Amino acid sequence: MTVTPPAARAPASAAAARSSVRDLLRRAGVSLDSVIAADVLLVTSELVTNAIRHGGGLAAFHIEIADDALLLSVADANPHAPVSRTGTPDRPGGYGWPLVQRLADRVDVRSHGGGKTISAELRLA
């Protein structure tokens, strides 16, 4: 079974991206109270937030469900792959990328002329 949302522009915020993912999960029959849904929403939030904050803006966003997995792609204008770092008192954060790598079953970063696309796959069953 493949479930895709209607074609749309890239969401303007991480909250809008999470809303799109919630709608897709609901249509696919995935409980929004499940750990799986929480993991999918966290990965979505991290990738979109990082594209907006560090990638020069969200250039493209695609989600679909195929073969019991959610496929998520986020593109931005920065060609450099994310790096893990440890937060400091004067520069907190740095935990999102390791979380994405831990929660997703597969993560792929592809640089291209206009930036990069990060694709993640998360099993739903």
Side-chain angles (χ1 to χ4, degrees), residues 32-54:
L32 297 180
D33 293 329
S34 67
V35 171
I36 290 170
D39 289 351
V40 167
L41 292 168
L42 179 57
V43 168
T44 300
S45 189
E46 287 296 333
L47 291 179
V48 171
T49 298
N50 285 344
I52 293 168
R53 257 192 208 155
H54 307 293

Side-chain angles (χ1 to χ4, degrees), residues 36 39-41 43-44 47 66-72 100 103-106 120-125:
I36 290 170
D39 289 351
V40 167
L41 292 168
V43 168
T44 300
L47 291 179
D67 299 326
D68 293 324
L70 182 120
L71 309 173
L72 166 70
V100 167
L103 295 175
D105 297 296
R106 182 186 60 79
E121 180 178 331
L122 295 100
R123 280 190 306 260
L124 299 177

